[in-house]
Amino acid sequence: MTQTGRTREQERLIRMYRRKAKHFDLTSRLYPAPGYPLRAQRLRAVHALGLRAGHTVIDIACGTGMNFPLLEEVIGPDGRIVGVDLTDAMLAQAQDRTAAHGWRNISLVQADAVDFDFPTEVDAILSTYALTQVPECAEVIAHGAAALSEGGRWVVLDLKVPDNTPAWLAQPGTALVRPFASIDEWIMRRPWEAIRRAMQKELVDLTWTELAFGTAFLAAGSRAP
Ligand SMILES: C[S@@+](CC[C@H](N)C(=O)[O-])C[C@H]1O[C@@H](n2cnc3c(N)ncnc32)[C@H](O)[C@@H]1O
C-alpha cells in the first residue's frame, strides 16, 4: 500500500470508529450478529495468554477497553496493561472505563499498531476483533514477537470467513459486519491467513482454533527460548 493509500485508510477507520465510539460497548453486542458468543471468546483469548499476577500485557487495538476487566482480574494491581489504538475517541472511552474502575496500572497510547514501539520484555500481547483490519498485520505480529520475553504469549482473536464458503455466500453471510469494516476488501484479502503464516514464522507452539463454525479464530503462540 502506498503512503497516501495508508493515510487514507487510517483516516477512514478513525472517522468510522469516532462515530461508533460512544455506543461501541452496546452495539458490539450485535457484532457480528446478535447472540454471537463474544464474551465467551474473549475469555478463551485471555485464558490463552497464560497470565499471572504482576504480568505486563499489551492490548493491541484495545478500542474502548472491553478486555481490561478480564485482564485486570488476572494480573491484579501489580501488573500492567498498555492499550494501543488508532482512534482517539475509542481511547477516550477506554480512559473513562479505566477511571470508573479506579485502575492505576493502565497506560493508553494512540498509535497505528504497525508504528507502535513495543516495550521490551513484555509477558503477553493480545489483540481481539481488530488485527484483520490492519493491512500490515504480519508486521505487527513480528514486532510484537520480538518484544516478548522468553516464553511470552501472543494471542489473536478475530473474525474470519469459514473455510470453503462459496463467494456468493460469503457476501451476505458477512453483511452484519459491514458497518465495521470495508468488508469486500477484507474478504478478498483473507487477512487471517497472513496472521496465521506470520505467527507460524515468528512463534513456537502455535495453536489455531476455529470458533463458532469457523467464523472466528483464536491463534496463540509463544516466544521461542
Ligand atoms: C472492532 S474494534 C475492537 C476493539 C477491541 N479490541 C475489542 O475487542 O473490543 C477495532 C479497533 O481497532 C482499532 N484499529 C483499527 N486499525 C488499527 C490500527 N491500524 N492500529 C491500531 N488500532 C487500530 C480501531 O480504532 C478500533 O478501536
Side-chain angles (χ1 to χ4, degrees):
M1 194 184 279
T2 62
Q3 188 54 41
T4 319
R6 184 172 171 233
T7 309
R8 282 216 190 101
E9 176 58 12
Q10 281 178 336
E11 286 169 356
R12 185 190 68 78
L13 274 165
I14 291 172
R15 271 199 308 276
M16 182 175 76
Y17 281 108
R18 276 185 183 154
R19 283 198 302 273
K20 294 178 187 310
K22 206 158 184 203
H23 305 293
F24 182 83
D25 291 9
L26 209 60
T27 53
S28 67
R29 290 187 196 166
L30 307 172
Y31 168 75
Y36 196 77
L38 286 177
R39 187 176 157 78
Q41 293 183 354
R42 279 186 201 282
L43 280 166
R44 281 184 75 151
V46 170
H47 182 72
L49 290 168
L51 291 169
R52 291 197 307 273
H55 271 178
T56 294
V57 55
I58 315 280
D59 189 346
I60 289 292
C62 64
T64 61
M66 291 186 82
N67 294 323
F68 293 175
L70 305 176
L71 296 171
E72 283 286 344
E73 210 174 304
V74 200
I75 62 169
D78 294 334
R80 190 170 151 240
I81 297 173
V82 181
V84 181
D85 202 280
L86 185 62
T87 309
D88 48 3
M90 295 293 272
L91 286 173
Q93 296 294 315
Q95 181 55 54
D96 287 352
R97 185 192 302 276
T98 302
H101 284 84
W103 293 319
R104 295 168 165 276
N105 57 349
I106 299 182
S107 341
L108 299 173
V109 180
Q110 187 180 359
D112 189 310
V114 75
D115 298 326
F116 176 62
D117 196 5
F118 282 84
T120 49
E121 294 291 303
V122 295
D123 299 297
I125 307 170
L126 174 66
S127 186
T128 57
Y129 309 114
L131 208 52
T132 60
Q133 291 174 29
V134 181
E136 306 86 354
C137 51
E139 275 179 67
V140 179
I141 298 284
H143 295 170
L148 283 171
S149 56
E150 197 179 307
R153 302 277 289 160
W154 221 137
V155 173
V156 180
L157 165 66
D158 213 329
L159 301 177
K160 64 183 274 291
V161 174
D163 293 341
N164 307 320
T165 306
W168 60 269
L169 195 61
Q171 299 282 64
T174 50
L176 282 162
V177 196
R178 253 173 216 283
F180 289 86
S182 173
I183 200 73
D184 302 319
E185 185 274 336
W186 184 82
I187 290 171
M188 293 282 290
R189 191 161 49 90
R190 300 181 69 80
W192 52 92
E193 291 178 355
I195 290 172
R196 186 174 189 162
R197 279 195 300 274
M199 291 183 81
Q200 266 163 348
K201 181 169 167 226
E202 305 292 342
L203 302 161
V204 295
D205 301 331
L206 186 77
T207 58
W208 178 272
T209 313
E210 304 257 331
L211 306 171
F213 306 104
T215 57
F217 66 90
L218 177 63
S222 304
R223 165 94 190 243

